[in-house]
Amino acid sequence: MKFFLDTANVREIKEAHSMGMVDGVTTNPSLIAKEGRDFEEVIKEICEIVDGPVNAEVVSVDTEGMLKEARHLVRIGDNIVIKVPMTVDGLKATRRLSDENIKTNVTLVFSPLQALMAAKAGAAFVSPFIGRLDDLSQEGMLLVEQIVEIYSNYAFDTEIIVASIRNPLHVLDSALIGADIATIPFSVLSKLASHPLTDKGLKSFLDDWKKSQK
Ligand code: E4P
């Protein structure tokens, strides 16, 4: 299972990358805005750190605008993936970009049929937002299960990025279901690595070692 980091913060990306945990990065306009830096400058810096897909999202809502932005953004790095919203215009842009061999990630997916359409349009990736569904008392993970089944039924090669991850259980469930990728905020990634019994066990090993050295 691949781990993408869901952030535009370069310090977080460097830290997770040094742990070998960054197979790719997803950003969105909100994450970029949070950094208060120039969009293209941030994306370029991320591309210099990460070999895998670096997702940059368009902000146009019409197909032509999306295509223009996408064709510009792909010049930043060989590993750029264009995030396109799950709208009719977004599907048209996805089809055209796919025909131009530009990889897309159809984002803001909240239903299995949206995911089916994204795959048919030629998306390289699809991003179901599970946390936002959970927030509305709808089971986000059920959506992932349904997409996995549909893509398997028809042998689509669109990769599923489980997005809007809020806690470690979301990552565990994604892995058990067999999603291709989880895109994980740095705060959640840090939690995955820690366990109180690991800390307790390490402390007692080190205490015993010190005692034996006296
Ligand atoms: C990733 O591609 C999404 O932009 C991100 O996971 C959204 O997460 P949120 O629902 O916590 O904003």
Side-chain angles (χ1 to χ4, degrees):
M1 184 192 201
K2 284 176 264 187
F3 281 4
F4 285 7
L5 209 62
D6 196 22
T7 184
N9 183 286
V10 170
R11 188 188 49 76
E12 290 179 350
I13 293 167
K14 282 184 179 161
E15 175 68 8
H17 185 257
S18 66
M19 289 187 257
M21 292 298 140
V22 184
D23 300 308
V25 168
T26 50
T27 67
N28 63 38
S30 304
L31 291 171
I32 296 281
K34 204 167 126 192
E35 295 308 306
R37 296 182 54 197
D38 178 72
F39 176 34
E40 290 183 27
E41 191 184 290
V42 176
I43 295 294
K44 188 170 183 291
E45 211 174 317
I46 298 172
C47 285
E48 282 160 10
I49 304 164
V50 177
D51 292 331
V54 173
N55 286 255
E57 187 160 342
V58 296
V59 288
S60 297
V61 290
D62 63 296
T63 303
E64 289 309 320
M66 290 179 198
L67 292 173
K68 195 172 165 208
E69 279 186 65
R71 289 170 187 144
H72 176 75
L73 286 169
V74 288
R75 288 198 220 123
I76 297 176
D78 295 341
N79 47 347
I80 293 284
V81 171
I82 305 297
K83 267 176 103 178
V84 169
M86 175 56 227
T87 57
V88 169
D89 277 79
L91 288 174
K92 289 179 190 170
T94 299
R95 178 74 271 156
R96 301 256 299 271
L97 292 169
S98 170
D99 291 344
E100 293 174 28
N101 290 319
I102 294 176
K103 285 189 174 171
T104 54
N105 170 1
V106 174
T107 188
L108 290 165
V109 165
F110 293 95
S111 85
L113 293 175
Q114 287 181 322
L116 175 58
M117 293 179 92
K120 285 177 68 63
F125 302 94
V126 66
S127 292
F129 275 35
I130 55 162
R132 293 191 193 189
L133 281 170
D134 286 356
D135 290 345
L136 297 182
S137 308
Q138 291 182 28
E139 216 183 313
M141 272 306 157
L142 181 61
L143 170 61
V144 179
E145 281 175 29
Q146 289 172 330
I147 301 172
V148 167
E149 188 174 340
I150 290 169
Y151 284 9
S152 153
N153 285 347
Y154 299 101
F156 284 116
D157 54 14
T158 305
E159 290 187 81
I160 302 166
I161 306 179
V162 181
S164 189
I165 280 181
R166 301 274 159 83
N167 58 57
L169 275 183
H170 280 155
V171 181
L172 174 62
D173 287 339
S174 303
L176 290 171
I177 291 168
D180 302 288
I181 301 152
T183 189
I184 310 171
F186 186 77
S187 57
V188 175
L189 186 79
S190 308
K191 286 182 192 155
L192 300 186
S194 65
H195 196 289
L197 289 181
T198 306
D199 298 341
K200 194 177 165 204
L202 180 60
K203 184 176 179 317
S204 93
F205 283 159
L206 295 180
D207 287 348
D208 290 344
W209 177 254
K210 269 183 216 152
K211 275 184 229 151
S212 75
Q213 299 302 301
K214 281 178 186 160

